[in-house]
PDB file of all heavy atoms in Angstrom:
ATOM      1  N   LEU A  20       4.143 -12.329   7.694  1.00 98.00           N
ATOM      2  CA  LEU A  20       4.107 -11.923   6.290  1.00 98.00           C
ATOM      3  C   LEU A  20       4.846 -10.590   6.109  1.00 98.00           C
ATOM      4  O   LEU A  20       5.639 -10.431   5.172  1.00 98.00           O
ATOM      5  CB  LEU A  20       2.661 -11.798   5.805  1.00 98.00           C
ATOM      6  CG  LEU A  20       2.473 -11.312   4.363  1.00 98.00           C
ATOM      7  CD1 LEU A  20       2.995 -12.350   3.369  1.00 98.00           C
ATOM      8  CD2 LEU A  20       0.990 -11.016   4.101  1.00 98.00           C
ATOM      9  N   ALA A  21       4.593  -9.640   6.999  1.00 98.00           N
ATOM     10  CA  ALA A  21       5.270  -8.338   6.923  1.00 98.00           C
ATOM     11  C   ALA A  21       6.786  -8.512   7.062  1.00 98.00           C
ATOM     12  O   ALA A  21       7.560  -7.852   6.356  1.00 98.00           O
ATOM     13  CB  ALA A  21       4.730  -7.403   8.002  1.00 98.00           C
ATOM     14  N   THR A  22       7.202  -9.408   7.940  1.00 98.00           N
ATOM     15  CA  THR A  22       8.627  -9.689   8.111  1.00 98.00           C
ATOM     16  C   THR A  22       9.221 -10.243   6.823  1.00 98.00           C
ATOM     17  O   THR A  22      10.301  -9.823   6.381  1.00 98.00           O
ATOM     18  CB  THR A  22       8.840 -10.678   9.267  1.00 98.00           C
ATOM     19  OG1 THR A  22       8.357 -10.081  10.479  1.00 98.00           O
ATOM     20  CG2 THR A  22      10.297 -11.057   9.428  1.00 98.00           C
ATOM     21  N   GLU A  23       8.506 -11.157   6.201  1.00 98.00           N
ATOM     22  CA  GLU A  23       8.964 -11.742   4.938  1.00 98.00           C
ATOM     23  C   GLU A  23       9.076 -10.666   3.849  1.00 98.00           C
ATOM     24  O   GLU A  23      10.045 -10.646   3.080  1.00 98.00           O
ATOM     25  CB  GLU A  23       7.993 -12.843   4.502  1.00 98.00           C
ATOM     26  CG  GLU A  23       8.454 -13.637   3.306  1.00 98.00           C
ATOM     27  CD  GLU A  23       7.472 -14.720   2.873  1.00 98.00           C
ATOM     28  OE1 GLU A  23       6.514 -15.021   3.630  1.00 98.00           O
ATOM     29  OE2 GLU A  23       7.652 -15.243   1.755  1.00 98.00           O
ATOM     30  N   VAL A  24       8.121  -9.773   3.803  1.00 98.00           N
ATOM     31  CA  VAL A  24       8.141  -8.690   2.821  1.00 98.00           C
ATOM     32  C   VAL A  24       9.352  -7.785   3.049  1.00 98.00           C
ATOM     33  O   VAL A  24      10.076  -7.446   2.109  1.00 98.00           O
ATOM     34  CB  VAL A  24       6.826  -7.870   2.871  1.00 98.00           C
ATOM     35  CG1 VAL A  24       6.977  -6.546   2.125  1.00 98.00           C
ATOM     36  CG2 VAL A  24       5.678  -8.680   2.294  1.00 98.00           C
ATOM     37  N   GLY A  25       9.582  -7.375   4.286  1.00 98.00           N
ATOM     38  CA  GLY A  25      10.720  -6.509   4.576  1.00 98.00           C
ATOM     39  C   GLY A  25      12.041  -7.142   4.195  1.00 98.00           C
ATOM     40  O   GLY A  25      12.914  -6.493   3.596  1.00 98.00           O
ATOM     41  N   THR A  26      12.193  -8.416   4.521  1.00 98.00           N
ATOM     42  CA  THR A  26      13.416  -9.144   4.183  1.00 98.00           C
ATOM     43  C   THR A  26      13.634  -9.201   2.680  1.00 98.00           C
ATOM     44  O   THR A  26      14.729  -8.941   2.173  1.00 98.00           O
ATOM     45  CB  THR A  26      13.368 -10.573   4.764  1.00 98.00           C
ATOM     46  OG1 THR A  26      13.232 -10.483   6.186  1.00 98.00           O
ATOM     47  CG2 THR A  26      14.610 -11.371   4.415  1.00 98.00           C
ATOM     48  N   GLU A  27      12.574  -9.532   1.936  1.00 98.00           N
ATOM     49  CA  GLU A  27      12.688  -9.676   0.484  1.00 98.00           C
ATOM     50  C   GLU A  27      12.893  -8.334  -0.209  1.00 98.00           C
ATOM     51  O   GLU A  27      13.649  -8.245  -1.178  1.00 98.00           O
ATOM     52  CB  GLU A  27      11.465 -10.395  -0.073  1.00 98.00           C
ATOM     53  CG  GLU A  27      11.545 -10.745  -1.548  1.00 98.00           C
ATOM     54  CD  GLU A  27      12.667 -11.710  -1.926  1.00 98.00           C
ATOM     55  OE1 GLU A  27      13.288 -12.327  -1.037  1.00 98.00           O
ATOM     56  OE2 GLU A  27      12.936 -11.842  -3.145  1.00 98.00           O
ATOM     57  N   LEU A  28      12.258  -7.277   0.285  1.00 98.00           N
ATOM     58  CA  LEU A  28      12.492  -5.939  -0.271  1.00 98.00           C
ATOM     59  C   LEU A  28      13.975  -5.581  -0.192  1.00 98.00           C
ATOM     60  O   LEU A  28      14.567  -5.112  -1.164  1.00 98.00           O
ATOM     61  CB  LEU A  28      11.683  -4.892   0.499  1.00 98.00           C
ATOM     62  CG  LEU A  28      10.231  -4.667   0.127  1.00 98.00           C
ATOM     63  CD1 LEU A  28       9.576  -3.714   1.120  1.00 98.00           C
ATOM     64  CD2 LEU A  28      10.107  -4.116  -1.271  1.00 98.00           C
ATOM     65  N   ALA A  29      14.544  -5.798   0.978  1.00 98.00           N
ATOM     66  CA  ALA A  29      15.960  -5.475   1.172  1.00 98.00           C
ATOM     67  C   ALA A  29      16.842  -6.372   0.321  1.00 98.00           C
ATOM     68  O   ALA A  29      17.816  -5.904  -0.287  1.00 98.00           O
ATOM     69  CB  ALA A  29      16.321  -5.608   2.647  1.00 98.00           C
ATOM     70  N   ARG A  30      16.519  -7.650   0.253  1.00 98.00           N
ATOM     71  CA  ARG A  30      17.314  -8.588  -0.537  1.00 98.00           C
ATOM     72  C   ARG A  30      17.369  -8.161  -2.001  1.00 98.00           C
ATOM     73  O   ARG A  30      18.388  -8.311  -2.675  1.00 98.00           O
ATOM     74  CB  ARG A  30      16.743 -10.001  -0.417  1.00 98.00           C
ATOM     75  CG  ARG A  30      17.639 -11.079  -1.026  1.00 98.00           C
ATOM     76  CD  ARG A  30      16.981 -12.424  -1.084  1.00 98.00           C
ATOM     77  NE  ARG A  30      15.943 -12.505  -2.099  1.00 98.00           N
ATOM     78  CZ  ARG A  30      16.155 -12.582  -3.419  1.00 98.00           C
ATOM     79  NH1 ARG A  30      17.382 -12.584  -3.888  1.00 98.00           N
ATOM     80  NH2 ARG A  30      15.146 -12.667  -4.270  1.00 98.00           N
ATOM     81  N   ARG A  31      16.270  -7.596  -2.485  1.00 98.00           N
ATOM     82  CA  ARG A  31      16.198  -7.154  -3.881  1.00 98.00           C
ATOM     83  C   ARG A  31      16.749  -5.738  -4.081  1.00 98.00           C
ATOM     84  O   ARG A  31      16.705  -5.208  -5.185  1.00 98.00           O
ATOM     85  CB  ARG A  31      14.753  -7.212  -4.364  1.00 98.00           C
ATOM     86  CG  ARG A  31      14.226  -8.627  -4.485  1.00 98.00           C
ATOM     87  CD  ARG A  31      12.779  -8.640  -4.943  1.00 98.00           C
ATOM     88  NE  ARG A  31      12.233  -9.969  -5.063  1.00 98.00           N
ATOM     89  CZ  ARG A  31      11.485 -10.389  -6.084  1.00 98.00           C
ATOM     90  NH1 ARG A  31      11.193  -9.562  -7.079  1.00 98.00           N
ATOM     91  NH2 ARG A  31      11.021 -11.613  -6.113  1.00 98.00           N
ATOM     92  N   GLY A  32      17.239  -5.118  -3.010  1.00 97.00           N
ATOM     93  CA  GLY A  32      17.891  -3.820  -3.134  1.00 97.00           C
ATOM     94  C   GLY A  32      16.980  -2.606  -3.118  1.00 97.00           C
ATOM     95  O   GLY A  32      17.386  -1.513  -3.496  1.00 97.00           O
ATOM     96  N   HIS A  33      15.746  -2.788  -2.647  1.00 98.00           N
ATOM     97  CA  HIS A  33      14.791  -1.676  -2.621  1.00 98.00           C
ATOM     98  C   HIS A  33      14.839  -0.943  -1.279  1.00 98.00           C
ATOM     99  O   HIS A  33      15.216  -1.504  -0.257  1.00 98.00           O
ATOM    100  CB  HIS A  33      13.371  -2.188  -2.854  1.00 98.00           C
ATOM    101  CG  HIS A  33      13.208  -2.889  -4.167  1.00 98.00           C
ATOM    102  ND1 HIS A  33      13.478  -2.288  -5.378  1.00 98.00           N
ATOM    103  CD2 HIS A  33      12.819  -4.161  -4.459  1.00 98.00           C
ATOM    104  CE1 HIS A  33      13.255  -3.143  -6.358  1.00 98.00           C
ATOM    105  NE2 HIS A  33      12.857  -4.288  -5.833  1.00 98.00           N
ATOM    106  N   THR A  34      14.401   0.307  -1.300  1.00 98.00           N
ATOM    107  CA  THR A  34      14.205   1.097  -0.084  1.00 98.00           C
ATOM    108  C   THR A  34      12.745   0.958   0.335  1.00 98.00           C
ATOM    109  O   THR A  34      11.848   1.033  -0.509  1.00 98.00           O
ATOM    110  CB  THR A  34      14.537   2.579  -0.345  1.00 98.00           C
ATOM    111  OG1 THR A  34      15.940   2.691  -0.608  1.00 98.00           O
ATOM    112  CG2 THR A  34      14.172   3.457   0.847  1.00 98.00           C
ATOM    113  N   LEU A  35      12.529   0.776   1.615  1.00 98.00           N
ATOM    114  CA  LEU A  35      11.173   0.678   2.163  1.00 98.00           C
ATOM    115  C   LEU A  35      10.708   2.044   2.626  1.00 98.00           C
ATOM    116  O   LEU A  35      11.392   2.720   3.387  1.00 98.00           O
ATOM    117  CB  LEU A  35      11.153  -0.294   3.350  1.00 98.00           C
ATOM    118  CG  LEU A  35       9.864  -0.318   4.168  1.00 98.00           C
ATOM    119  CD1 LEU A  35       8.709  -0.913   3.363  1.00 98.00           C
ATOM    120  CD2 LEU A  35      10.069  -1.093   5.471  1.00 98.00           C
ATOM    121  N   VAL A  36       9.520   2.433   2.174  1.00 98.00           N
ATOM    122  CA  VAL A  36       8.838   3.613   2.696  1.00 98.00           C
ATOM    123  C   VAL A  36       7.650   3.091   3.480  1.00 98.00           C
ATOM    124  O   VAL A  36       6.844   2.310   2.962  1.00 98.00           O
ATOM    125  CB  VAL A  36       8.354   4.552   1.562  1.00 98.00           C
ATOM    126  CG1 VAL A  36       7.602   5.746   2.140  1.00 98.00           C
ATOM    127  CG2 VAL A  36       9.533   5.008   0.707  1.00 98.00           C
ATOM    128  N   SER A  37       7.544   3.486   4.748  1.00 96.00           N
ATOM    129  CA  SER A  37       6.470   2.947   5.591  1.00 96.00           C
ATOM    130  C   SER A  37       5.863   4.044   6.452  1.00 96.00           C
ATOM    131  O   SER A  37       6.317   5.189   6.429  1.00 96.00           O
ATOM    132  CB  SER A  37       7.005   1.821   6.490  1.00 96.00           C
ATOM    133  OG  SER A  37       7.757   2.373   7.560  1.00 96.00           O
ATOM    134  N   GLY A  38       4.880   3.643   7.239  1.00 95.00           N
ATOM    135  CA  GLY A  38       4.179   4.571   8.112  1.00 95.00           C
ATOM    136  C   GLY A  38       4.946   4.997   9.338  1.00 95.00           C
ATOM    137  O   GLY A  38       4.427   5.761  10.164  1.00 95.00           O
ATOM    138  N   GLY A  39       6.186   4.528   9.505  1.00 95.00           N
ATOM    139  CA  GLY A  39       7.070   5.043  10.537  1.00 95.00           C
ATOM    140  C   GLY A  39       6.772   4.655  11.970  1.00 95.00           C
ATOM    141  O   GLY A  39       7.258   5.293  12.899  1.00 95.00           O
ATOM    142  N   ALA A  40       5.977   3.593  12.164  1.00 94.00           N
ATOM    143  CA  ALA A  40       5.658   3.156  13.522  1.00 94.00           C
ATOM    144  C   ALA A  40       6.358   1.840  13.840  1.00 94.00           C
ATOM    145  O   ALA A  40       6.784   1.108  12.944  1.00 94.00           O
ATOM    146  CB  ALA A  40       4.150   2.996  13.696  1.00 94.00           C
TER     147      ALA A  40
END
Side-chain angles (χ1 to χ4, degrees):
L20 177 67
T22 298
E23 187 181 348
V24 165
T26 301
E27 187 62 12
L28 277 173
R30 189 189 73 74
R31 292 179 180 224
H33 300 302
T34 293
L35 170 68
V36 178
S37 76

